[in-house]
Amino acid sequence: MLPFLKIMLRNLLLGPSTDPFPFAPAKTHKNFRGCAEHDPEKCILCGICRHVCAAGAIQIHPSEDGSGMQYLLWHNSCVFCGMCAHYCPTGALTMSDNWHLAHSGAEMFSNCISDFIPFGACAQCGAKIQPRPQTIIDTLGARSPDRFLLCPQCKRQGIVQNVAQARPTRRQENP
Amino acid sequence: MPSTTYTLPIGPLHVALEEPMYFDIQVEGETVRSVELSAGHVHRGMEALAMQRNYFQNVTLVERVCSLCSNSHPATYCMAVENLSGLIVPERARYLRVIADEVKRIASHLFNVGIMAHLTGFDSLFMHAMEVREIMQDAKEGVYGNRMNLGQCIIGGCRRDIDDSTAPFLLGQLELLKPQLHELYGVFERDPLIRTRTQGIGLLSHAEARRHAVVGPVARASGVAYDLRRKAPYAVYPDLDFEVQTDTKGDVHSRALLRLREAVESVKIVEQCLRQMPGGPINTREVPVIPPGEAVARSEAPRGEVFYYVRSDGTDTPQRLKWRVPTYMNWEALQVMLANCQVADIALIVNSIDPCISCTER
């Protein structure tokens, strides 16, 4: 007991080492991995977040009128691993430092992120494509901004035309 | 003539055990004569779950096998998958993995010695050890974002860099920890209460340690200098300067002191890593291609060697994922350690192997 007596007295003088939560805010580091946040303006519906989510907390359903997708992230299924935020190519998903997730039982089936994400339109033919928000055009589409806004079919046609112009096919005559 | 021997059931749920485990103990008076272990109370079917999830999801899954070595599992799993796919992890990521591993080791060892103090009935020392551990918990939360599940490892590297904002914070926490750890070691080494309760009990001789092939601090306290960080170096351990701690006494007390000495070594390793860490990427940016085949990886978790086996059929889901955890090797040796001990010491001796039942039964 003797070597510890000094420590015990010191700890006694230092007072409690716990936060007085909920009467005062608890200390939270800015890096804390809390509740996920989703920015529908940046989401391109690539679905990598759903692919890496071990908890199956993310669902992406087509909307009823077919004009876009409904993005769902269930906070009660989420395990706060942050894999979705790490693999998100556009930064649409982030982990906030908010850990205040207590809610009443009645809110159990509404405690989720539910965002409607409309499809984009092909710049040439107007067909439905994945969303093309400006932030994504500036980053992912920087390499070929024109082609980035096209649907796969228009993209293919454009490539075929380019190739045809660059290398006109010569008809070989049989000897 | 009254019967002097009887069977004492301990567990599966028992106040003195941290996790469910069942012991059938033959007692003669106050002395234990023989022990039979029965396991399987926290089987969660994680190996089957792993076969239903893709390689990315399994990183999160294996992190949740056990909370105290929750970085060793994904790190070793990622190493196995990287071995399979031939992925070269950037050097900075290897340093970051070592830092995460060692930070977790310090917290895990402090937790175990704290529980030992609790089991001797010395609860104020238990609280103090937990408060010292809180320095490391704070460091984990500030650097990685969570107190237990760091989420640092991914296939191909690490997720969170230790940059100019978090490195000074981590170093500051280590500076706070060092004097406290030193003081705590002194208390555990000299305190008469701790010494009388823990010295000379739960003996595991060098020969018995070898016979049971125990791993981790249990082996090292019995004079078997087996540390995977030196025996089969991985990550950047060959470039780091640290000493493998050993002892020859092989009792509960020496195992606790050895854990504290290892925590001191871990502090040195983290400091070295922060000094030596080169710049560069912290993960391979490409998504790995996992070919059909099989691979293994092993690493030194706080409790000893953890071993991962992965078999792939070329799809995005492993065909088989299997792991062997240190407690599996160590708990058989409890039969030797518990023989002829007092009933009151059972919980202390069980705790001295730092059992992780949730890892072992997964």
Side-chain angles (χ1 to χ4, degrees), chain B residues 326-337:
Chain B
T327 303
Y328 184 70
M329 302 310 292
N330 290 346
W331 72 14
E332 281 297 317
L334 277 178
Q335 295 178 345
V336 177
M337 293 184 215

Side-chain angles (χ1 to χ4, degrees), chain B residues 133-201:
Chain B
R133 171 175 175 265
E134 204 59 28
I135 300 171
M136 254 18 242
Q137 298 295 86
D138 245 7
K140 286 189 272 181
E141 192 175 291
V143 176
Y144 302 103
N146 195 297
R147 287 162 55 88
M148 295 310 286
N149 295 323
L150 307 185
Q152 174 69 322
C153 294
I154 50 166
I155 298 164
C158 289
R159 270 161 56 182
R160 196 161 267 182
D161 201 0
I162 297 184
D163 52 17
D164 293 339
S165 63
T166 45
F169 170 67
L170 182 54
L171 275 173
Q173 293 295 98
L174 290 178
E175 284 304 320
L176 273 179
L177 180 76
K178 275 192 280 184
Q180 299 265 8
L181 206 53
H182 182 74
E183 194 179 51
L184 201 62
Y185 187 82
V187 173
F188 273 94
E189 192 184 17
R190 290 192 299 273
D191 190 275
L193 205 153
I194 292 285
R195 281 172 57 182
T196 29
R197 271 313 296 281
T198 60
Q199 273 183 340
I201 66 159

Side-chain angles (χ1 to χ4, degrees), chain A:
Chain A
M1 207 66 180
L2 291 171
F4 190 67
L5 222 54
K6 205 175 76 185
I7 300 173
M8 212 152 88
L9 277 173
R10 194 181 65 211
N11 282 350
L12 205 63
L13 292 174
L14 281 172
S17 53
T18 46
D19 285 336
F21 186 79
F23 305 107
K27 185 180 70 186
T28 308
H29 293 279
K30 74 171 181 11
N31 281 338
F32 186 77
R33 260 196 340 264
C35 183
E37 279 176 358
H38 181 241
D39 182 355
E41 299 290 311
K42 287 184 182 169
C43 182
I44 54 168
L45 294 173
C46 66
I48 186 76
C49 48
R50 186 180 53 183
H51 184 70
V52 300
C53 180
I58 298 172
Q59 296 166 336
I60 304 173
H61 300 304
S63 69
E64 276 173 24
D65 60 352
S67 64
M69 296 289 243
Q70 196 66 30
Y71 185 96
L72 298 169
L73 193 156
W74 294 91
H75 293 309
N76 286 356
S77 300
C78 177
V79 294
F80 310 103
C81 65
M83 287 286 269
C84 52
H86 176 76
Y87 282 105
C88 181
T90 65
L93 263 174
T94 44
M95 303 302 278
S96 69
D97 62 357
N98 172 23
W99 48 269
H100 301 277
L101 287 155
H103 59 80
S104 68
E107 292 168 278
M108 196 192 282
F109 298 107
S110 59
N111 187 30
C112 82
I113 293 171
S114 178
D115 284 332
F116 174 72
I117 298 149
F119 288 127
C122 171
Q124 205 162 305
C125 68
K128 278 180 211 160
I129 55 168
Q130 281 182 316
R132 291 287 184 266
Q134 191 59 44
T135 46
I136 310 315
I137 298 170
D138 296 342
T139 50
L140 292 181
R143 207 162 51 135
S144 54
D146 302 333
R147 237 184 30 218
F148 192 64
L149 296 173
L150 301 179
C151 68
Q153 204 179 354
C154 292
K155 234 184 260 182
R156 270 201 297 276
Q157 281 171 1
I159 291 170
V160 168
Q161 276 164 14
N162 285 346
V163 171
Q165 278 163 14
R167 283 186 299 172
T169 45
R170 270 184 302 170
R171 191 168 292 179
Q172 284 197 343
E173 285 175 20
N174 287 324

